[in-house]
Amino acid sequence: MDALDEVLRHAHVWNSWLVLITGCAALGGLIVSARRGTRRGSRMLGAFVGAVHLQVVLGIALGLLLTATGDEFFAGDGAKTGWHAALGLAAAVSATAAIRLRRRPGRAWPAVLAAATALVAPQPARLPLIVLGVLAAVGAAALIQRRPPRLPQPMSPSQESR
């Protein structure tokens, strides 16, 4: 059981970084598309929602395993365990709400708020890192979503003679 316990712990920790990275990218894309009034950025939001849900599943599996073996969460701090689980579930609900809001026209800013809540709620200690990641993602999304300039098309010989 110790090997499975370690695998689940490491998967839970590494997936939290995946949640952070995909969440910053999704939030940056949502902010840029909300400012421009476009409907882009849904793929990264889907990846973020999937990573959040995987994080909850890994946490539940780890919790069940630790309970079965008699180990303690957070060195026996029951309040911290409860808050961690509640905030993780709240993040999953908020991320799901973000993707549902994004599908409806005119709901871009509520989707941004729901995604930001899902990103910050379970890991408030990482807020400075989240802010920097979102700022970088906004810049990258603005470059990616930028429309290429329209170049003048060459005229055909028949148009030149006119």
Side-chain angles (χ1 to χ4, degrees), residues 20-100:
L20 178 72
I21 293 167
T22 58
C24 288
L27 193 55
L30 284 175
I31 289 170
V32 170
S33 66
R35 283 182 20 207
R36 292 187 177 167
T38 63
R39 295 196 22 94
R40 300 183 86 176
S42 297
R43 286 189 182 136
M44 190 53 72
L45 182 60
F48 171 59
V49 171
V52 169
H53 288 169
L54 177 60
Q55 186 72 356
V56 170
V57 169
L58 288 170
I60 290 171
L62 182 60
L64 291 174
L65 181 68
L66 290 179
T67 302
T69 59
D71 288 339
E72 296 177 338
F73 297 101
F74 299 111
D77 188 356
K80 188 173 183 178
T81 302
W83 277 108
H84 186 74
L87 291 175
L89 289 174
V93 168
S94 183
T96 303
I99 205 162
R100 292 200 180 259

